[in-house]
Amino acid sequence: MSVLDFWFDFASSYSYPAAMRVGPLAAKAGVSIRFRPFLLAPIFKAQGWSTSPFNIYEAKGRNMWRDLERQCAALGLPFRRPDPFPQPSLLAARVALVGLSEAWGEDFCRSVFSAEFGEGRRIDDVATIASILGELASDPDQVLAAARSDPIKARLRDETQEAEGLGIFGAPSFVTRDGELFWGNDRMEQALQWASRRS
Amino acid sequence: MSVLDFWFDFASSYSYPAAMRVGPLAAKAGVSIRFRPFLLAPIFKAQGWSTSPFNIYEAKGRNMWRDLERQCAALGLPFRRPDPFPQPSLLAARVALVGLSEAWGEDFCRSVFSAEFGEGRRIDDVATIASILGELASDPDQVLAAARSDPIKARLRDETQEAEGLGIFGAPSFVTRDGELFWGNDRMEQALQWASRRS
């Protein structure tokens, strides 16, 4: 079966519809998706940005929120603009790495995106993450402890470095096994097609 | 009939497939398209950019060229990366404004994009513009003179100011009569749908 890496940051607005869409579309395309959480902030910092470009460039940001609202409406996804934006995504990303080596990782990712962009909850609040874990993991406290362990911290740094090495500059991004990079929720279908053609 | 404004800059890479696609898609959607050439450079300058962001942000630029190549291949459009990029688009935009008040404007726009992104010709070279006009206008010299007249110069400045006032920050962009802004070649279908729903 062909494989496609789905790189995302929990802070990234278009990663929300991407995370909600990717499962069914990948199943239909016969492609196996690997969820790859990483942190955009260090990559943005290397480009000279201390926050999201959507905050730096006002007209671009205004269009993004309106566009995301339209996209979510078309997909039947609830939408609430998170405040603040971007949300610090470090904790969620670390917990996701724990979960993705167990069975509940992808559900956790979708739940975090729903909480953040569907309900306007803060994902840098441990209570939000703990309540999501309460639905999914047998021992939330143990997961939170694992998420704060050195191996997981190092793992997230490594993942972020790998993303940067692949040429990733935004999220979501899709990378095929032969290194083809597709950027954005809008390129998901094309990325899946590319991956399935080369299996 | 409903109307949709198609805002583009001849220097803009994704304006190329947009210009080639928009006619047939608009006809199918029953929407009347108005070609609105403008200049992105002053808008970029106001954002602090002295050139295209695709030149400033290397990874973003690398992805854009690869993505455009894939998009053109999928559409069956020839593609050659213009050098230099972006091409100065002032002359082409002024000539287009002349043409769009006559019958040959849209053909001229498509020919300029084809020359630039399909054949790698320089659109800031008067010879390129004159040779395109030779196929379309009865008196190319008269058109070039009109393009350099004060009313056309002022008109292009006004158009660019109108674009900025509409919240346009990149090209191509689509704006409906009720002020809804859609950014990018990827949003053409949605913009047409929006325009046709509200006719």
Side-chain angles (χ1 to χ4, degrees):
Chain A
M1 198 177 188
S2 55
V3 174
L4 183 66
D5 280 352
F6 165 47
W7 292 89
F8 61 93
D9 184 326
F10 285 107
S12 145
S13 51
Y14 286 108
S15 293
Y16 167 46
M20 307 314 267
R21 294 198 313 129
V22 73
L25 285 182
K28 212 172 132 189
V31 171
S32 172
I33 290 288
R34 292 198 300 184
F35 275 52
R36 307 290 300 264
F38 74 110
L39 298 183
L40 262 178
I43 293 174
F44 281 174
K45 200 167 278 177
Q47 291 176 175
W49 297 332
S50 59
T51 180
S52 163
F54 295 126
N55 290 341
I56 298 171
Y57 304 108
E58 199 194 322
K60 196 181 172 73
R62 202 167 42 231
N63 172 74
M64 181 277 284
W65 289 117
R66 179 63 178 141
D67 184 60
L68 186 62
E69 190 181 13
R70 288 189 307 238
Q71 298 294 105
C72 288
L75 293 166
L77 288 175
F79 172 68
R80 264 188 69 179
R81 182 172 167 170
D83 181 25
F85 174 83
Q87 302 258 317
S89 55
L90 185 69
L91 173 65
R94 286 174 177 166
V95 171
L97 286 180
V98 176
L100 289 164
S101 66
E102 301 181 18
W104 49 272
E106 298 188 11
D107 284 335
F108 173 79
C109 294
R110 283 183 286 266
S111 294
V112 169
F113 278 117
S114 291
E116 180 184 16
F117 291 98
E119 301 166 42
R121 285 158 72 193
R122 290 195 61 149
I123 62 163
D124 57 337
D125 184 344
V126 184
T128 305
I129 301 299
S131 84
I132 293 170
L133 287 174
E135 306 283 320
L136 297 170
S138 55
D139 189 341
D141 287 337
Q142 197 182 17
V143 170
L144 285 169
R148 288 164 178 145
S149 69
D150 286 339
I152 287 291
K153 288 181 180 178
R155 176 84 193 288
L156 182 58
R157 277 192 299 270
D158 290 348
E159 293 288 300
T160 298
Q161 245 176 12
E162 186 180 338
E164 195 166 10
L166 289 166
I168 288 174
F169 56 93
S173 290
F174 303 90
V175 182
T176 63
R177 226 176 226 172
D178 56 349
E180 194 73 15
L181 168 67
F182 297 83
W183 171 52
N185 179 46
D186 292 326
R187 288 293 175 277
M188 183 188 293
E189 285 83 348
Q190 213 182 352
L192 286 167
Q193 201 180 22
W194 191 284
S196 70
R197 256 194 240 135
R198 281 161 175 79
S199 60
Chain B
M1 198 178 188
S2 54
V3 175
L4 183 66
D5 279 352
F6 165 47
W7 290 89
F8 61 94
D9 184 326
F10 285 107
S12 145
S13 51
Y14 286 109
S15 293
Y16 167 45
M20 306 316 266
R21 295 198 312 130
V22 73
L25 285 182
K28 213 172 132 190
V31 171
S32 172
I33 290 287
R34 291 197 302 183
F35 276 51
R36 308 290 301 264
F38 74 109
L39 297 183
L40 261 178
I43 293 174
F44 281 175
K45 200 167 278 178
Q47 290 175 174
W49 297 333
S50 58
T51 180
S52 162
F54 295 127
N55 290 340
I56 299 171
Y57 305 107
E58 200 195 321
K60 195 180 175 73
R62 202 166 43 233
N63 171 74
M64 182 277 284
W65 290 116
R66 179 63 178 142
D67 183 59
L68 186 62
E69 191 182 11
R70 288 188 307 238
Q71 298 293 105
C72 288
L75 294 165
L77 288 175
F79 172 69
R80 264 187 70 179
R81 181 172 166 170
D83 180 26
F85 175 83
Q87 303 257 317
S89 54
L90 184 69
L91 174 64
R94 287 175 177 166
V95 172
L97 286 181
V98 176
L100 288 164
S101 66
E102 302 183 16
W104 48 271
E106 298 187 10
D107 283 336
F108 173 79
C109 294
R110 281 183 287 265
S111 294
V112 170
F113 277 118
S114 291
E116 181 183 17
F117 291 100
E119 301 165 43
R121 284 159 72 195
R122 290 194 62 151
I123 62 162
D124 56 339
D125 185 343
V126 183
T128 304
I129 301 300
S131 85
I132 292 171
L133 287 175
E135 307 282 322
L136 298 170
S138 55
D139 189 341
D141 287 337
Q142 198 182 16
V143 170
L144 285 169
R148 288 162 178 146
S149 69
D150 286 340
I152 287 291
K153 288 181 179 177
R155 175 84 194 288
L156 183 57
R157 278 194 298 270
D158 290 348
E159 292 289 299
T160 298
Q161 245 177 12
E162 185 179 339
E164 195 166 10
L166 288 167
I168 288 175
F169 56 93
S173 290
F174 303 89
V175 182
T176 63
R177 227 176 223 171
D178 56 348
E180 195 73 16
L181 168 68
F182 296 83
W183 170 52
N185 179 45
D186 293 326
R187 288 294 175 275
M188 184 188 292
E189 284 84 348
Q190 215 182 351
L192 285 167
Q193 202 181 23
W194 192 283
S196 70
R197 254 194 241 135
R198 281 162 176 77
S199 59

